[in-house]
Amino acid sequence: MGRNIDKTYIQLRMLNTGKGPAVHALRAQADKFLYQHTMKETIEKTEHLTLRQGLVEELIVEDGVCKGVVTKTGAHYYGKSVVLTTGTYLRGKIIMGELMYESGPNNQQPAVKLSENLRKHGLELVRFKTGTPPRVHKDTIDFSKTTIQPGDEKPKFFSYETTEEVPNQLPCWLTYTSEETHQIINDNLHRAPMFSGAIEGTGPRYCPSIEDKIVRFSDKPKHQIFLEPEGRNTKEYYVQGLSTSMPEDVQLQILRSIPGLEKVEMMRTGYAIEYDAVIPTQLKPSLETKIIDGLFTAGQINGTSGYEEAAGQGIMAGINAARKVQGKEPVILDRSEAYIGVLIDDLVTKGTNEPYRLLTSRAEYRLLLRHDNADLRLTPIGYEIGLISEERYTRFQDKVRKVEEELERLKTTKVKPSEVQELLKSLGSAEINNSVDLLSLLRRPEVTYEHIHSISPSAVELTEDMMEQVEIQVKYTGYIEKQLAQVERLRKMEKKRIPDDIVYDDIHGIATEAKQKLAKIRPISIGQASRISGVTPADISILLVHLEHYNKVLAVRGS
């Protein structure tokens, strides 16, 4: 996915650069058509991969084990693992004003019978809703009334293997809703399915429809609207921020009340889509279902909303489905290793009563989970499980070595006051009276690695991302060490495994609510158990005592 977006983006932009590195996030605007075609081509060229297209209607389940799938045409496909990634197609229903009909996104076939089949096999489903905005014709937009949002001049990439950038990035454009927009929406709320009771599914709190925003935030005079090109070879623009299920005629009125869109022509209507999702507490941290052995689920079927959330689950479900076939232990990233770890742990431990979005605020160790150190955190894991090439891993090790060597050089290299006084004065930084090491200088907020390099260049050639890594590690060392100490405490809890066959009803002293939650979720460790809503520290203490006794009994039996 990283390689593909780096080949097909029309814009790359690092978000939140005015804030600290913990919230920097790389965003790509994809050429949607090119991305899809390039990915399909990649799949078709992949060795040992057989590609079939069909509508899955049933699972083949024997003795509680998923053995394959049956399509609408009656074809049977067998496999030792099955991964379901149904998106919003599972009993999908399009809603647009008074109009409702069964459909997947963009009028594709919904998967209706599969929902019934999942229920038949004992999986509990929930009904969620998401939406999409209208698309408009570029030639009918007055860009002079909007603000340009260009890509980064020197873009960063999603894949560490990418070296060449795509030329000629396309800009996005910013505009806002107006008083007239809000009036049109308020005047037509009786025709809005969200407020008329026509929509039964729960929508995403952090990505609401425009009508929901206007009602919930009635004090706000305007809301941001981004105009985003769908691709290089189309005139279609995506109106980000205007997700809606209003009737078609109202949507056109809303669009034409927005500065820059007064004469706009709508190419595709926005709509809401309702769909079924699996209650995610029925999953193991590997994303395998607890009820059906060998069945994995990923993406919106697990109650999430958004591309990143789906992508993160997809790669983990794929890895663990393959490892299941190989007879290997699943790969489970913990909350201190990756946002994927936070996402999956939240889903399988706490569940969700609305489409889940992964926000930086959900990660207690977000200073460790930075964009700049993703390779340092995850490349060794990727290499160990066979997803990283030898060449890529050698380059990674070279980076780690050079960063460590440079940190050591900064610690041991001292400069005299005469060598840095002018620079410090120009930066408004306190002057020094004695020799000081470069590491101490770099800790100062106003001093950057570039300044250090101008005083004392490194003998080793460092790339831009290596320099960035050095600077962040130096400047945030105190905070990072504090979080690492917290992580170590958490790791001890995660190492205390809970046996699969434990009977929570037999444990005296644990509250009834905690017993019910523990029995339902069946956590794999004390750490996971402690994060279950309704399980108190007192319950955990009793559980620890019980586990100690349980392990002693096992040891006696074993001897």
Side-chain angles (χ1 to χ4, degrees):
M1 289 177 283
R3 294 185 196 115
N4 195 33
I5 195 64
D6 288 349
K7 283 187 222 165
T8 60
Y9 70 85
I10 49 183
Q11 186 189 105
L12 280 171
R13 188 172 185 175
M14 186 67 79
L15 304 180
N16 305 323
T17 51
K19 299 176 183 175
V23 291
H24 290 182
L26 185 60
R27 177 189 185 274
Q29 180 71 24
D31 184 320
K32 292 184 183 176
F33 310 100
L34 187 57
Y35 182 96
Q36 180 186 347
H37 294 149
T38 308
M39 189 61 92
K40 189 165 184 286
E41 185 184 11
T42 301
I43 291 168
E44 289 168 353
K45 287 180 177 176
T46 300
E47 287 184 18
H48 313 302
L49 181 66
T50 304
L51 182 61
R52 293 283 185 274
Q53 298 175 55
L55 182 63
V56 172
E57 294 199 326
E58 289 178 35
L59 301 176
I60 302 168
V61 180
E62 296 170 12
D63 301 322
V65 179
C66 190
K67 299 288 182 74
V69 297
V70 183
T71 67
K72 190 173 186 175
T73 61
H76 286 55
Y77 294 104
Y78 291 91
K80 293 178 182 176
S81 289
V82 171
V83 185
L84 284 184
T85 58
T86 57
T88 58
Y89 289 82
L90 210 53
R91 211 160 59 86
K93 184 204 278 186
I94 296 280
I95 302 163
M96 194 192 304
E98 299 84 12
L99 177 66
M100 291 183 211
Y101 55 93
E102 282 192 344
S103 174
N106 296 323
N107 294 312
Q108 295 183 49
Q109 285 187 70
V112 177
K113 289 192 176 175
L114 184 57
S115 254
E116 297 163 15
N117 193 252
L118 291 173
R119 279 201 175 92
K120 183 186 125 185
H121 289 297
L123 286 163
E124 287 182 70
L125 303 183
V126 68
R127 195 81 171 148
F128 280 162
K129 178 216 81 137
T130 188
T132 189
R135 272 67 155 185
V136 298
H137 199 296
K138 177 187 178 182
D139 293 348
T140 61
I141 300 170
D142 183 352
F143 289 107
S144 68
K145 294 183 180 177
T146 66
T147 307
I148 193 166
Q149 304 282 297
D152 292 338
E153 274 186 41
K154 199 172 179 188
K156 292 182 181 288
F157 303 112
F158 276 88
S159 170
Y160 289 89
E161 294 170 9
T162 305
T163 53
E164 289 182 29
E165 60 185 88
V166 174
N168 307 319
Q169 292 192 59
L170 300 184
C172 296
W173 305 83
L174 171 65
T175 183
Y176 293 87
T177 57
S178 64
E179 273 185 46
E180 188 189 349
T181 313
H182 297 207
Q183 192 60 53
I184 291 165
I185 290 168
N186 282 317
D187 289 348
N188 286 280
L189 283 179
H190 62 288
R191 299 183 67 195
M194 275 208 64
F195 298 98
S196 67
I199 289 178
E200 57 173 292
T202 307
R205 178 193 304 253
Y206 299 105
C207 199
S209 66
I210 188 65
E211 50 267 39
D212 197 15
K213 277 193 256 191
I214 300 303
V215 171
R216 277 167 54 191
F217 307 107
S218 54
D219 56 316
K220 294 208 182 301
K222 60 184 182 179
H223 294 276
Q224 285 186 330
I225 301 293
F226 290 94
L227 305 173
E228 304 171 346
E230 291 265 294
R232 290 186 188 277
N233 301 310
T234 176
K235 298 275 190 177
E236 212 166 322
Y237 267 61
Y238 186 92
V239 188
Q240 177 71 265
L242 207 76
S243 172
T244 182
S245 57
M246 283 286 200
E248 196 163 354
D249 60 307
V250 178
Q251 289 191 34
L252 190 58
Q253 285 182 59
I254 292 168
L255 284 167
R256 289 182 175 175
S257 69
I258 294 168
L261 304 182
E262 293 88 349
K263 295 179 180 176
V264 83
E265 291 296 336
M266 188 160 61
M267 294 179 77
R268 267 196 277 173
T269 320
Y271 57 83
I273 184 165
E274 280 190 345
Y275 57 96
D276 287 343
V278 167
I279 294 173
T281 49
Q282 299 169 102
L283 307 174
K284 299 173 185 176
S286 63
L287 296 181
E288 184 181 19
T289 65
K290 295 171 184 172
I291 295 169
I292 305 170
D293 194 71
L295 176 67
F296 294 77
T297 57
Q300 284 172 292
I301 190 174
N302 290 343
T304 60
S305 178
Y307 303 121
E308 302 91 340
E309 291 82 356
Q313 292 173 75
I315 194 167
M316 296 313 297
I319 287 167
N320 288 329
R323 287 177 73 81
K324 173 101 178 173
V325 173
Q326 295 169 329
K328 293 178 181 174
E329 284 294 305
V331 174
I332 296 166
L333 301 175
D334 70 38
R335 298 179 71 93
S336 65
E337 287 178 313
Y339 272 101
I340 288 174
V342 176
L343 165 71
I344 294 175
D345 184 61
D346 277 354
L347 290 173
V348 304
T349 305
K350 300 173 184 172
T352 183
N353 53 15
E354 62 190 35
Y356 176 104
R357 294 305 305 260
L358 183 56
L359 312 168
T360 53
S361 58
R362 295 193 194 269
E364 59 272 49
Y365 306 117
R366 59 184 171 274
L367 193 54
L368 302 179
L369 308 182
R370 307 184 310 273
H371 174 275
D372 64 86
N373 70 354
D375 59 336
L376 301 182
R377 288 182 281 116
L378 300 172
T379 306
I381 298 170
Y383 179 70
E384 190 184 323
I385 63 177
L387 291 179
I388 298 289
S389 69
E390 204 64 52
E391 182 197 353
R392 164 84 186 91
Y393 192 61
T394 302
R395 278 193 286 117
F396 164 74
Q397 287 178 308
D398 183 58
K399 174 181 174 176
V400 172
R401 179 180 55 77
K402 284 180 176 175
V403 168
E404 285 174 356
E405 284 176 5
E406 182 61 2
L407 287 168
E408 188 58 35
R409 184 185 79 87
L410 296 180
K411 203 184 290 180
T412 55
T413 305
K414 293 198 170 188
V415 286
K416 296 172 185 171
S418 58
E419 294 174 89
V420 293
Q421 223 68 290
E422 280 303 311
L423 173 68
L424 295 177
K425 196 184 287 185
S426 70
L427 296 172
S429 189
E431 295 180 17
I432 58 171
N433 300 317
N434 301 306
S435 293
V436 67
D437 62 81
L438 295 173
L439 197 79
S440 300
L441 276 184
L442 186 53
R443 282 203 182 110
R444 297 186 176 200
E446 58 278 3
V447 178
T448 67
Y449 182 82
E450 279 183 27
H451 294 133
I452 298 294
H453 188 68
S454 68
I455 301 162
S456 170
S458 172
V460 178
E461 193 176 336
L462 300 177
T463 61
E464 203 171 300
D465 66 314
M466 290 177 194
M467 294 180 199
E468 178 187 47
Q469 197 52 233
V470 168
E471 182 167 336
I472 289 170
Q473 286 195 31
V474 170
K475 288 195 183 297
Y476 292 89
T477 184
Y479 300 104
I480 290 169
E481 283 171 6
K482 194 175 177 183
Q483 289 215 333
L484 286 171
Q486 290 173 335
V487 169
E488 202 43 52
R489 287 196 292 275
L490 172 78
R491 286 238 166 93
K492 287 176 184 170
M493 300 273 274
E494 298 299 334
K495 280 178 186 171
K496 290 180 176 158
R497 311 301 276 184
I498 300 174
D500 288 340
D501 59 354
I502 196 163
V503 180
Y504 291 101
D505 280 342
D506 292 348
I507 307 175
H508 300 295
I510 289 184
T512 304
E513 183 192 357
K515 283 182 183 178
Q516 289 169 350
K517 295 272 181 76
L518 288 164
K520 184 181 178 183
I521 291 164
R522 304 213 65 81
I524 62 169
S525 69
I526 288 293
Q528 189 187 358
S530 69
R531 294 189 292 274
I532 297 171
S533 169
V535 176
T536 67
D539 296 322
I540 294 296
S541 298
I542 295 163
L543 180 56
L544 280 167
V545 171
H546 179 82
L547 283 179
E548 205 172 310
H549 175 70
Y550 179 96
N551 290 330
K552 278 179 185 170
V553 170
L554 278 186
V556 169
R557 283 179 188 163
S559 62

